[in-house]
Amino acid sequence: MTSRSEVLREVMLETGTTQSGLSRLSGVRQPSISGFLSDKVEISDDQLNRLLSCMGFQLEVVRRPIVPQLTRSERRSWQLHRRLSTLLSHQSLKEWKPTIERNLDRLDHGVTGQPHERNVGRWRHLVVRGDVPGLHRVLTGLDRDSIEMREVSPMSGLLTDEQRRDVLELAG
């Protein structure tokens, strides 16, 4: 996949646009454009599209699904937490809260090191605030942050044995 800076550089070369010329066209300071081109300054798709439009181009972003590379343990954890996510609502969180808080207290005393200690605090913050959308994101997310959050999950004991067996049987 081509980086944003490469796209910008390619269009500038094709159109014969200099950094100072693009600065005059766009109103973006030349040092910022230099930073974009050298990858020292992050440029968003919106910013890149704006700069490209000054040179007669538009940005096309192609999105495609990929299967993430998870370990067996990470995949099983995701599947169990995904099942919990199907059951999560404001009402169920209210019912689960005593169990989750006991689990958080246990984790507070049993977990050491970063990012685990920080993630236990983040779980507590989500639960105390009743942030159901935030909990759904952590329960089902496939990003590294969500995976690490689930490593210190306070959600044990919320699925019945049968629900847990069903998920693990499907997981293989």
mmCIF file of all heavy atoms in Angstrom, residues 77-96:
data_model
loop_
_atom_site.group_PDB
_atom_site.id
_atom_site.type_symbol
_atom_site.label_atom_id
_atom_site.label_comp_id
_atom_site.label_asym_id
_atom_site.label_seq_id
_atom_site.Cartn_x
_atom_site.Cartn_y
_atom_site.Cartn_z
ATOM 1 N N SER A 77 -10.018 -15.831 23.297
ATOM 2 C CA SER A 77 -10.419 -14.739 24.183
ATOM 3 C C SER A 77 -11.379 -13.803 23.454
ATOM 4 O O SER A 77 -12.401 -13.392 24.012
ATOM 5 C CB SER A 77 -9.179 -13.972 24.653
ATOM 6 O OG SER A 77 -9.554 -12.848 25.400
ATOM 7 N N TRP A 78 -11.051 -13.463 22.199
ATOM 8 C CA TRP A 78 -11.929 -12.596 21.412
ATOM 9 C C TRP A 78 -13.306 -13.236 21.256
ATOM 10 O O TRP A 78 -14.319 -12.563 21.422
ATOM 11 C CB TRP A 78 -11.305 -12.313 20.042
ATOM 12 C CG TRP A 78 -12.229 -11.581 19.121
ATOM 13 C CD1 TRP A 78 -12.556 -10.255 19.169
ATOM 14 C CD2 TRP A 78 -12.983 -12.130 18.046
ATOM 15 N NE1 TRP A 78 -13.459 -9.952 18.171
ATOM 16 C CE2 TRP A 78 -13.732 -11.094 17.469
ATOM 17 C CE3 TRP A 78 -13.085 -13.418 17.497
ATOM 18 C CZ2 TRP A 78 -14.572 -11.287 16.375
ATOM 19 C CZ3 TRP A 78 -13.921 -13.612 16.408
ATOM 20 C CH2 TRP A 78 -14.657 -12.548 15.870
ATOM 21 N N GLN A 79 -13.361 -14.534 20.980
ATOM 22 C CA GLN A 79 -14.648 -15.195 20.774
ATOM 23 C C GLN A 79 -15.483 -15.214 22.060
ATOM 24 O O GLN A 79 -16.695 -14.999 22.020
ATOM 25 C CB GLN A 79 -14.434 -16.610 20.226
ATOM 26 C CG GLN A 79 -13.964 -16.562 18.778
ATOM 27 C CD GLN A 79 -13.510 -17.894 18.240
ATOM 28 O OE1 GLN A 79 -12.855 -18.664 18.935
ATOM 29 N NE2 GLN A 79 -13.839 -18.163 16.983
ATOM 30 N N LEU A 80 -14.841 -15.460 23.189
ATOM 31 C CA LEU A 80 -15.565 -15.429 24.466
ATOM 32 C C LEU A 80 -16.084 -14.023 24.764
ATOM 33 O O LEU A 80 -17.242 -13.848 25.169
ATOM 34 C CB LEU A 80 -14.663 -15.913 25.604
ATOM 35 C CG LEU A 80 -14.368 -17.407 25.616
ATOM 36 C CD1 LEU A 80 -13.194 -17.714 26.543
ATOM 37 C CD2 LEU A 80 -15.609 -18.198 26.028
ATOM 38 N N HIS A 81 -15.249 -13.035 24.569
ATOM 39 C CA HIS A 81 -15.661 -11.652 24.840
ATOM 40 C C HIS A 81 -16.701 -11.175 23.826
ATOM 41 O O HIS A 81 -17.591 -10.396 24.163
ATOM 42 C CB HIS A 81 -14.440 -10.728 24.868
ATOM 43 C CG HIS A 81 -13.645 -10.881 26.113
ATOM 44 N ND1 HIS A 81 -12.678 -11.851 26.267
ATOM 45 C CD2 HIS A 81 -13.686 -10.208 27.289
ATOM 46 C CE1 HIS A 81 -12.152 -11.760 27.471
ATOM 47 N NE2 HIS A 81 -12.746 -10.769 28.125
ATOM 48 N N ARG A 82 -16.598 -11.669 22.611
ATOM 49 C CA ARG A 82 -17.595 -11.333 21.591
ATOM 50 C C ARG A 82 -18.963 -11.859 22.007
ATOM 51 O O ARG A 82 -19.985 -11.195 21.854
ATOM 52 C CB ARG A 82 -17.154 -11.944 20.259
ATOM 53 C CG ARG A 82 -18.071 -11.664 19.116
ATOM 54 C CD ARG A 82 -17.417 -12.186 17.825
ATOM 55 N NE ARG A 82 -18.336 -12.062 16.734
ATOM 56 C CZ ARG A 82 -18.910 -13.093 16.120
ATOM 57 N NH1 ARG A 82 -18.637 -14.323 16.496
ATOM 58 N NH2 ARG A 82 -19.735 -12.890 15.123
ATOM 59 N N ARG A 83 -18.986 -13.056 22.590
ATOM 60 C CA ARG A 83 -20.252 -13.627 23.086
ATOM 61 C C ARG A 83 -20.813 -12.759 24.202
ATOM 62 O O ARG A 83 -22.013 -12.482 24.254
ATOM 63 C CB ARG A 83 -20.030 -15.070 23.572
ATOM 64 C CG ARG A 83 -21.258 -15.728 24.152
ATOM 65 C CD ARG A 83 -22.307 -15.970 23.064
ATOM 66 N NE ARG A 83 -23.418 -16.735 23.577
ATOM 67 C CZ ARG A 83 -24.623 -16.211 23.833
ATOM 68 N NH1 ARG A 83 -24.854 -14.946 23.621
ATOM 69 N NH2 ARG A 83 -25.576 -16.979 24.304
ATOM 70 N N LEU A 84 -19.931 -12.305 25.100
ATOM 71 C CA LEU A 84 -20.376 -11.400 26.160
ATOM 72 C C LEU A 84 -20.949 -10.113 25.577
ATOM 73 O O LEU A 84 -21.934 -9.583 26.087
ATOM 74 C CB LEU A 84 -19.210 -11.050 27.089
ATOM 75 C CG LEU A 84 -18.903 -12.036 28.199
ATOM 76 C CD1 LEU A 84 -17.586 -11.694 28.851
ATOM 77 C CD2 LEU A 84 -20.031 -12.061 29.213
ATOM 78 N N SER A 85 -20.347 -9.635 24.500
ATOM 79 C CA SER A 85 -20.807 -8.401 23.878
ATOM 80 C C SER A 85 -22.241 -8.531 23.376
ATOM 81 O O SER A 85 -23.003 -7.565 23.413
ATOM 82 C CB SER A 85 -19.877 -8.013 22.722
ATOM 83 O OG SER A 85 -20.216 -6.748 22.213
ATOM 84 N N THR A 86 -22.625 -9.746 22.930
ATOM 85 C CA THR A 86 -24.007 -9.936 22.459
ATOM 86 C C THR A 86 -24.999 -9.828 23.607
ATOM 87 O O THR A 86 -26.171 -9.544 23.389
ATOM 88 C CB THR A 86 -24.206 -11.300 21.757
ATOM 89 O OG1 THR A 86 -24.037 -12.354 22.707
ATOM 90 C CG2 THR A 86 -23.259 -11.466 20.581
ATOM 91 N N LEU A 87 -24.522 -10.049 24.826
ATOM 92 C CA LEU A 87 -25.385 -10.002 26.014
ATOM 93 C C LEU A 87 -25.335 -8.659 26.735
ATOM 94 O O LEU A 87 -26.148 -8.394 27.613
ATOM 95 C CB LEU A 87 -24.972 -11.111 26.990
ATOM 96 C CG LEU A 87 -24.972 -12.538 26.448
ATOM 97 C CD1 LEU A 87 -24.341 -13.487 27.456
ATOM 98 C CD2 LEU A 87 -26.377 -12.971 26.070
ATOM 99 N N LEU A 88 -24.356 -7.834 26.363
ATOM 100 C CA LEU A 88 -24.126 -6.574 27.068
ATOM 101 C C LEU A 88 -25.169 -5.519 26.718
ATOM 102 O O LEU A 88 -25.426 -5.233 25.556
ATOM 103 C CB LEU A 88 -22.729 -6.031 26.744
ATOM 104 C CG LEU A 88 -22.357 -4.697 27.378
ATOM 105 C CD1 LEU A 88 -22.342 -4.777 28.899
ATOM 106 C CD2 LEU A 88 -21.011 -4.229 26.839
ATOM 107 N N SER A 89 -25.754 -4.961 27.745
ATOM 108 C CA SER A 89 -26.677 -3.826 27.631
ATOM 109 C C SER A 89 -26.520 -3.018 28.919
ATOM 110 O O SER A 89 -25.809 -3.435 29.836
ATOM 111 C CB SER A 89 -28.121 -4.318 27.490
ATOM 112 O OG SER A 89 -28.524 -4.972 28.690
ATOM 113 N N HIS A 90 -27.189 -1.896 28.994
ATOM 114 C CA HIS A 90 -27.127 -1.119 30.238
ATOM 115 C C HIS A 90 -27.678 -1.950 31.400
ATOM 116 O O HIS A 90 -27.126 -1.917 32.507
ATOM 117 C CB HIS A 90 -27.897 0.201 30.101
ATOM 118 C CG HIS A 90 -27.200 1.194 29.226
ATOM 119 N ND1 HIS A 90 -26.106 1.904 29.638
ATOM 120 C CD2 HIS A 90 -27.438 1.581 27.943
ATOM 121 C CE1 HIS A 90 -25.690 2.686 28.667
ATOM 122 N NE2 HIS A 90 -26.484 2.511 27.621
ATOM 123 N N GLN A 91 -28.733 -2.710 31.145
ATOM 124 C CA GLN A 91 -29.342 -3.534 32.187
ATOM 125 C C GLN A 91 -28.409 -4.670 32.615
ATOM 126 O O GLN A 91 -28.209 -4.905 33.799
ATOM 127 C CB GLN A 91 -30.692 -4.106 31.710
ATOM 128 C CG GLN A 91 -31.409 -4.954 32.749
ATOM 129 C CD GLN A 91 -31.696 -4.194 34.044
ATOM 130 O OE1 GLN A 91 -32.063 -3.026 34.018
ATOM 131 N NE2 GLN A 91 -31.525 -4.860 35.171
ATOM 132 N N SER A 92 -27.839 -5.388 31.635
ATOM 133 C CA SER A 92 -26.958 -6.501 32.001
ATOM 134 C C SER A 92 -25.711 -5.986 32.717
ATOM 135 O O SER A 92 -25.236 -6.619 33.661
ATOM 136 C CB SER A 92 -26.581 -7.345 30.786
ATOM 137 O OG SER A 92 -25.837 -6.594 29.850
ATOM 138 N N LEU A 93 -25.193 -4.823 32.301
ATOM 139 C CA LEU A 93 -24.029 -4.260 32.986
ATOM 140 C C LEU A 93 -24.363 -3.976 34.439
ATOM 141 O O LEU A 93 -23.556 -4.253 35.336
ATOM 142 C CB LEU A 93 -23.541 -2.986 32.283
ATOM 143 C CG LEU A 93 -22.327 -2.308 32.914
ATOM 144 C CD1 LEU A 93 -21.130 -3.258 32.986
ATOM 145 C CD2 LEU A 93 -21.966 -1.038 32.146
ATOM 146 N N LYS A 94 -25.551 -3.461 34.677
ATOM 147 C CA LYS A 94 -25.991 -3.192 36.047
ATOM 148 C C LYS A 94 -26.017 -4.497 36.864
ATOM 149 O O LYS A 94 -25.570 -4.533 38.007
ATOM 150 C CB LYS A 94 -27.381 -2.553 36.008
ATOM 151 C CG LYS A 94 -27.870 -2.018 37.302
ATOM 152 C CD LYS A 94 -29.212 -1.314 37.091
ATOM 153 C CE LYS A 94 -29.781 -0.815 38.381
ATOM 154 N NZ LYS A 94 -31.089 -0.174 38.201
ATOM 155 N N GLU A 95 -26.510 -5.579 36.251
ATOM 156 C CA GLU A 95 -26.572 -6.877 36.931
ATOM 157 C C GLU A 95 -25.178 -7.484 37.110
ATOM 158 O O GLU A 95 -24.907 -8.144 38.103
ATOM 159 C CB GLU A 95 -27.458 -7.837 36.133
ATOM 160 C CG GLU A 95 -28.918 -7.404 36.087
ATOM 161 C CD GLU A 95 -29.729 -8.150 35.026
ATOM 162 O OE1 GLU A 95 -29.204 -9.126 34.426
ATOM 163 O OE2 GLU A 95 -30.880 -7.732 34.781
ATOM 164 N N TRP A 96 -24.308 -7.293 36.153
ATOM 165 C CA TRP A 96 -22.964 -7.868 36.186
ATOM 166 C C TRP A 96 -21.993 -7.078 37.063
ATOM 167 O O TRP A 96 -20.943 -7.591 37.451
ATOM 168 C CB TRP A 96 -22.367 -7.900 34.778
ATOM 169 C CG TRP A 96 -23.024 -8.808 33.797
ATOM 170 C CD1 TRP A 96 -23.953 -9.778 34.035
ATOM 171 C CD2 TRP A 96 -22.789 -8.820 32.383
ATOM 172 N NE1 TRP A 96 -24.307 -10.392 32.859
ATOM 173 C CE2 TRP A 96 -23.607 -9.824 31.831
ATOM 174 C CE3 TRP A 96 -21.984 -8.077 31.539
ATOM 175 C CZ2 TRP A 96 -23.622 -10.104 30.469
ATOM 176 C CZ3 TRP A 96 -21.991 -8.357 30.190
ATOM 177 C CH2 TRP A 96 -22.804 -9.365 29.660
#
